[in-house]
Amino acid sequence: MAKRLDLKDVDIYYGDFHAVQNVNLSVPPRSVTSFIGPSGCGKSTVLRTLNRMHEEIPGARVEGEIQLDGEDIYARGSDAVAVRRTIGMVFQRPNPFPTMSIRDNVVAGLKLQGVRDKKKLDEVCEASLKGANLWKEVSGRLDKPGGGLSGGQQQRLCIARAIAVQPDVLLMDEPCSALDPISTLAIEDLIGDLKKDYTIVIVTHNMQQAARVSDQTAFFNLEATGKPGHLVEIDDTEKIFSNPQERETEDYISGRFG
Amino acid sequence: MSAALDAPERPAASEAFRAVSTARKVKNQLATVLVTLAFVIAVIPLVWLLVSVLIKGFPAIVSVDWWTKSLSGVTPDQARGGVYHAIVGTLVQALIAGIIAVPVGIFAAVYLVEYGRGRLARITSFMVDILSGVPSIVAALFIFALFISIGGLSQSGFLVGLALVLLMLPVVIRNTEEMLRLVPDELREASYALGIPKWKTILRIVLPTALSGTVTGVMLAFARVMGETAPVLVLVGYARAINFDPFEGNQASLPLLIYTELSTNPSAAGQLRIWGGALTLILIVMVFQLAASLISRYSAISK
Amino acid sequence: MTPDGDEAEPNTVSERTTQRAPSDDPATQDRPAGSATMSSVTDTQPSTTGSSRTTSGGTGERVFRALTTGSGLVVVVAIALIGLFLIVQAVPSLLANNDNFFTSPEFNTTDASNLRFGIRDLLAVTLLSSLLALVIAMPIGMGIALFLTQYTPSRLAQPFSYVIGLLAAVPSIVFGLWGVLVLAPAIEPIAAFLQTYLGWIFLFAPGNLPVLTGTIFTGGIVLAIMILPIVTATTREVFSQTPRFQIEAAQALGATRWEVIRMAVLPYGRSGFIAASMLGLGRALGETIAVLLVIRAATSPSHLSLFDGGYTFASLIASAASEFSQPLPTGAYISAGLVLFVLTFVVNAMARVVAGGKVNG
């Protein structure tokens, strides 16, 4: 189920603006890769090209290749909608559908794909909520709206919703930045559990978080505002935080910059 | 972006990335078609109407007399004279409405934004919504009941103006209110910090900042009321001659001219006058609309 | 559109403004509260006029406040007076009425000593034409709102909205003129078709007019065109406020554009759309001159068919306006106006309640 991601010579543009320059990296299956870097370095932009969410911005364009287990996600005839089904995403701000019940939120993706069998939906709902460590807290009120949960619970609901469709990769765009420390801890624990089954890419502003949850870390930087962001280096997390190859990385990690 | 993506050197997509079911794709396409169709459907009558009015009315408005003469002394079947008397009436009646509705509307908006709180403000805001939904015929009937039935006045252009006040007020209030809410609080605070009292702050700082938006609202309000027909049917008689005095006697206006010619004059000259009147009315309304959008484009506060 | 609002991309600026917009709202909503505290401070201060001019307790402040509050009151008083005077003028005629006001199809005021009037047919024609307008304008209005907010690139959305707005700028008498002289003959074949094939449904049964032009059917279509900009404007506004993050939630699940609309946009905008439709309905109920010109007078009572003719409340009043001389017959029409006032009051009040805070006016 979990698959590897490879980025080859990826350049990202918004209209005439060159947002990210020449990114090459690989994300192995069943691992957590974190993207770190200062604001504006393009880490979120890169993340959003991985499931083609960037296409929702008019004028956005990608050059180079992004492959999922060797298959180009931008191949001719491929559909962004289908790509997003196989590469799930969790956002900065928990975004359950406010009018839907907890159950309907979890199975929303499956229903889109035309699964109508109630028994199957209930099974997936339970399994996904268990997978997101939320089952115990909500099993008694699956018919209540998802908006009634706490911020941390909502975010786990969103993770449950993302894994319910059994994606190959899970992208997380600063999933804890809107949460309190205890909820953050719960999500971080969950990420540790999820990597047994999924390939995970997480963007974070919090370096400690990157150090805690990820197996490898990619550091992005930009020379100046208005210049394209670029990948400085990617390596095992331990190595990036203890003994990075590049001076820029070291400066950033040690807080001398950014 | 798709141009780059569909470049021929790209390999064809694997099954996994094309897995959106046909039914879903069809539904999606269908929705796109229907939604676009909705827009087209709305444009058809608009274009049809404008073209009809333009074609049928254009021959009437090209003559100089049309803009400078009344129908005084013109028999119904004669294709001469003009609608100057009706233009005058339309503008005079709208002006009367504006003189009353603009200051009251702006002050009411100031009240709602700057002073209003508690129950009275809520009721006022609610009543503004209600007033904006009051049909023009009801506004006209009210003025009729108050000033003619009870007050004993006779019909006049001035009473039309009063009815139009009721229709203008909510437009002025809502537009001004919206602009006042866009004025940043920092401006108010900066003024308070200088020791300027609140009312002077509002008059000298807040209102001038919101001015262009307010003027836009006023223009739109004028555009709305000048096409109103119901009040002129109830509150004033039609005159074929020029009457500048809104307090005395009958006074024509473009809607009243159109209605009168339509219901009493089946001749070719009458037909021409109807469509010419309609085109003239649209042109005048458009001028105010255009002024409104030009002013709002150069608005001081960007939305 | 990226949640990471600080990515270096050209969208950053607009992005931030859109992100800030929601947090701006509370700020603007806070203001009345803020100014409330300010003014309550000044209220509690002893008005030592002269010495403390800057604490805004001065004469200028009081005069200005009275002026603005008074202007606000004008609106409240106007509505109250409209209700009051319509009632005052209607009651004598209602008392002198020799027929049942609610059930009689007749509206005969020629003999002031024997008034016979009722609103049954007025209500039927008003509701039929307005509801037909609504049935047509609701789906089309929603479609246009979706087209403008979800399908049109932002560069074109503005001019396209302007085009729809032009519909609102056309005076109703011009709609009436066009409706009766151009549209009515053009759609007669459609009416004939409907009557031939759907005539077994009471709505499409032969009506009380000898012809198929100038029917409620024609009037309803004209009204639909007229209320379309109202339905569209408010709905578009609400749809465009759909939170970005909810749209993204659906997109990230692999929803097609239409599915995104179903999952995020429509649930968010439903109440606004309903409110917009009610505003449109209110407008249709009270529309006067277009209906008066388009729908023909009928000699026999209504059959509840769309191919009936007749008068609506508004068009009846306008048609009789030139004969308002004797108080009692005039009062009969004013009582019809009173019913119309109550109808539109209720519809507009409901629109406001349904909309909650989302729609203004």
Side-chain angles (χ1 to χ4, degrees), chain A residues 15-211:
Chain A
D16 295 333
F17 180 71
H18 197 174
V20 181
Q21 196 175 33
N22 196 29
V23 174
N24 284 285
L25 62 82
S26 290
V27 178
R30 291 185 194 79
S31 71
V32 179
T33 300
S34 57
F35 289 0
I36 62 169
S39 292
C41 67
K43 54 192 188 299
S44 272
T45 305
V46 173
L47 189 79
R48 295 169 73 87
T49 58
L50 300 183
N51 67 342
R52 301 182 57 172
M53 278 296 282
H54 72 288
E55 288 177 16
E56 300 304 328
I57 297 170
R61 174 163 63 87
V62 172
E63 286 173 10
E65 262 178 61
I66 298 176
Q67 294 179 340
L68 185 68
D69 265 8
E71 308 231 21
D72 189 349
I73 68 168
Y74 288 98
R76 236 171 340 112
S78 74
D79 192 327
V81 168
V83 169
R84 290 175 199 155
R85 192 207 101 16
T86 49
I87 304 179
M89 190 164 200
V90 176
F91 294 84
Q92 199 167 9
R93 190 169 159 188
N95 55 1
F97 297 112
T99 52
M100 289 186 194
S101 67
I102 292 173
R103 186 204 319 268
D104 286 345
N105 259 290
V106 176
V107 299
L110 282 181
K111 278 191 173 171
L112 281 184
Q113 288 163 38
V115 181
R116 290 284 176 273
D117 178 3
K118 190 166 181 309
K119 197 159 149 263
K120 160 102 177 156
L121 290 176
D122 282 344
E123 277 170 24
V124 173
C125 176
E126 181 172 344
S128 307
L129 284 170
K130 280 180 176 158
N133 289 342
L134 193 60
W135 176 251
K136 280 188 204 135
E137 291 154 71
V138 302
S139 58
R141 45 172 169 156
L142 291 176
D143 293 321
K144 296 276 180 334
L149 301 173
S150 77
Q153 288 173 324
Q154 285 189 19
Q155 194 63 301
R156 277 181 281 150
L157 176 61
C158 292
I159 293 174
R161 184 176 66 189
I163 60 179
V165 292
Q166 304 197 307
D168 297 327
V169 178
L170 204 51
L171 307 176
M172 298 185 167
D173 192 355
E174 297 187 50
C176 303
S177 66
L179 303 181
D180 61 87
I182 292 175
S183 306
T184 300
L185 202 64
I187 302 279
E188 286 181 8
D189 286 347
L190 176 57
I191 292 173
D193 294 341
L194 288 173
K195 80 170 177 186
K196 288 182 213 118
D197 298 313
Y198 298 95
T199 308
I200 297 174
V201 183
I202 174 172
V203 164
T204 174
H205 262 130
N206 180 336
M207 277 184 282
Q208 284 73 35
Q209 184 169 65

Side-chain angles (χ1 to χ4, degrees), chain C residues 259-275:
Chain C
E259 287 159 351
V260 169
I261 290 169
R262 287 235 333 263
M263 291 169 88
V265 179
L266 293 186
Y268 179 81
R270 183 181 297 131
S271 61
F273 170 62
I274 293 172

